[in-house]
Amino acid sequence: MEVLYKSTRSGQNTVTASQAILKGLAEDGGLFVPTAIPKLSVSVEELSKMSYQETAYAVMKEFLTDFTKEELMDCIEKAYDSKFDTEEIAPLVNADGTYFLELFHGKTIAFKDMALSILPHLLTTSARKNNVKNEIVILTATSGDTGKAAMAGFADVAGTRIVVFYPKGGVSPIQEKQMLTQKGENTHVIGIKGNFDQAQSGVKEIFGNKELEEEMARAGFQFSSANSINIGRLVPQVVYYVYSYAKLVENEQIQNGEKINVVVPTGNFGNILAAFYAKNMGIPIAKLICASNDNKVLFDFFQTGVYDRNREFILTTSPSMDILISSNLERLIYKLAGEDAEKNAQYMKDLSGEGKYEITSDMKAQLEDFYGNFATEAETAETIHKLYDQTGYIIDTHTAVAAAVYNKYKEETKDETKTIIASTASPFKFTRSVMNAIDQEKYSDMSDFELVDELSTIGKVDVPDAIEEIRDAQIRHNTVCEVGDMEKEVKKFLGIEQS
């Protein structure tokens, strides 16, 4: 079955998977969604005997139907190789009766590596398939992890350049140093004097600027996105939910067909949407547990059916989730609205104008698969401390938000269904926050890299290469700009004359 893609805001014209990957965002500002979520064509029993790479092919071939087997296998083999420090790519760790799906064993020690290791290969293959001669300019906003993972993926990839915007002062010191030391002649990092939502909105504005698009084309460039709005990011994320379920079956931790819950620390909604897609493909997932930090716009939405970004933006110790506009939620809203593009477009217009929208009671009734809750800063720190105390296992702040919310869910529902928690970043990425949670008094005077070594000692885990390589790395990117100057900075990097 051929799967085509349509926009969430017009829904009329369809494009192939490779065209959707190339465009990133639909011309009407909508997000590309498959005309139907395909079912898996292999059984869980077959999947349980597969490697991560084989599982990736089994899942992705259903979505990317205009890629040949050779093209897709080539992308997969280049992506999931020795740059991951574990053979399983995404190992499951049982701690305190819950399965932590470690998604941080890639080059930049965050879950974004899982999709951003393959996106450059999907994109360059898509360009060849569609006879694109222009240089592709990847434009991305990051709340901390996407930027580094995208740059690591695209660094020195022929025919591409990448520009990353991040909120200056809104990411962890390790996250910032990872980005600012990024090598690659085709990479550029810009701090903005604003928050992530402003960076993301600025990028969307640049994408929607038709005059700039024409100007870029004349200069031999075209934009694409590495954010989770790109379907080429979302599809690879479905893989690890399918893989982890099959692994639990293989290890006899669940019976084939037994339902599991999945908990995801959520900001932009892409990672939990991938779990929703896995469920729709046929993986027996019961509850999709959406965990928020103090920026609890999603929790409020699940409670009330009202999405309202008109609130204080709070900087937390889980900065990758400090988001008030969850872009990928649009894909779910479109589905809840019965794929009524006009209705969805109106919601998005209301969000853009008034900063909020309210879904109908019929739509809200369809959210019964989801459970939303949030963890405060104190609850997040307490969860890290308690888990380490009881098991010796150390988790990062984002994973701790998920674990804290899962504890609330269990208390509230008494549901004992076996559960996977998406562990989205290495504790080494947020060392100070993690070590303060374990023992603030003891570690408060240590430098960031002293804390790294101490974490390695007490957690009995090696310091990841991603951290070692930035210890003494040279800062290569120093640009900081106002939100209103984002387009100007992109043109400057590309050497396009200011008009």
Side-chain angles (χ1 to χ4, degrees), residues 217-229:
R218 286 195 298 272
F221 297 112
Q222 71 184 63
F223 284 131
S224 189
S225 169
N227 274 86
S228 55
I229 53 174

Side-chain angles (χ1 to χ4, degrees), residues 176-182 472-478:
E176 183 171 53
K177 192 160 187 196
Q178 278 190 301
M179 286 192 280
L180 300 187
T181 56
Q182 176 63 48
D472 307 304
Q474 177 194 347
I475 301 291
R476 299 168 57 89
H477 306 274
N478 291 302

Side-chain angles (χ1 to χ4, degrees), residues 190-454:
I190 303 166
I192 66 152
K193 295 175 184 173
N195 60 40
F196 170 73
D197 287 331
Q198 289 170 303
Q200 183 164 253
S201 298
V203 164
K204 282 185 175 176
E205 263 175 51
I206 294 171
F207 269 113
N209 184 332
K210 296 296 170 202
E211 281 177 26
L212 177 62
E213 190 182 325
E214 287 165 19
E215 203 178 335
M216 294 269 293
R218 286 195 298 272
F221 297 112
Q222 71 184 63
F223 284 131
S224 189
S225 169
N227 274 86
S228 55
I229 53 174
N230 192 317
I231 200 73
R233 270 280 303 276
L234 188 61
V235 169
Q237 290 182 273
V238 178
V239 174
Y240 46 74
Y241 293 111
V242 175
Y243 176 77
S244 56
Y245 184 86
K247 284 296 131 194
L248 288 178
V249 171
E250 184 196 14
N251 299 333
E252 298 181 348
Q253 283 146 334
I254 57 170
Q255 298 290 313
N256 189 355
E258 184 182 339
K259 287 192 170 184
I260 61 164
N261 293 331
V262 172
V263 192
V264 187
T266 310
N268 224 2
F269 208 75
N271 202 6
I272 195 164
L273 186 73
F276 176 73
Y277 275 31
K279 179 183 170 89
N280 279 267
M281 288 190 91
I283 295 299
I285 295 171
K287 278 286 180 199
L288 295 151
I289 299 169
C290 178
S292 300
N293 63 17
D294 279 324
N295 293 291
K296 56 189 181 68
V297 64
L298 285 165
F299 165 66
D300 292 340
F301 168 71
F302 284 118
Q303 292 289 103
T304 64
V306 176
Y307 192 96
D308 187 355
R309 66 172 169 87
N310 299 312
R311 61 184 70 207
E312 183 193 355
F313 184 94
I314 301 166
L315 291 175
T316 72
T317 54
S318 46
S320 299
M321 296 160 66
D322 291 347
I323 292 172
L324 295 181
I325 303 172
S326 303
S327 286
N328 272 288
L329 184 64
E330 179 171 349
R331 287 185 165 113
L332 182 64
I333 296 296
Y334 174 71
K335 191 168 173 57
L336 299 178
E339 304 203 341
D340 183 334
E342 205 176 308
K343 192 173 179 180
N344 175 68
Q346 186 57 54
Y347 284 136
M348 296 308 129
K349 194 179 171 189
D350 292 345
L351 181 64
S352 178
E354 295 155 37
K356 64 177 182 178
Y357 59 84
E358 182 171 6
I359 62 172
T360 64
S361 53
D362 286 353
M363 289 168 72
K364 191 169 184 293
Q366 294 175 61
L367 288 171
E368 61 185 10
D369 288 349
F370 288 88
Y371 167 91
N373 214 321
F374 74 102
T376 63
E377 288 289 85
E379 288 166 339
T380 302
E382 174 60 23
T383 303
I384 294 170
H385 181 90
K386 204 168 163 187
L387 190 65
Y388 172 68
D389 245 19
Q390 291 174 350
T391 67
Y393 185 59
I394 302 177
I395 55 175
D396 91 294
T397 45
H398 302 73
T399 308
V401 168
V405 163
Y406 177 54
N407 291 336
K408 288 183 182 185
Y409 170 79
K410 271 201 304 190
E411 214 169 284
E412 216 175 280
T413 62
K414 308 293 182 257
D415 181 4
E416 290 300 321
T417 301
K418 294 200 175 115
T419 296
I420 285 174
I421 292 179
S423 185
T424 53
S426 163
F428 286 98
K429 201 147 192 167
F430 303 93
T431 323
R432 188 165 298 281
S433 299
V434 168
M435 296 302 273
N436 279 348
I438 290 171
D439 191 338
Q440 183 156 8
E441 211 172 294
K442 187 174 178 183
Y443 299 126
S444 59
D445 293 335
M446 287 189 181
S447 72
D448 284 330
F449 282 101
E450 284 171 338
L451 289 172
V452 161
D453 294 330
E454 185 67 15

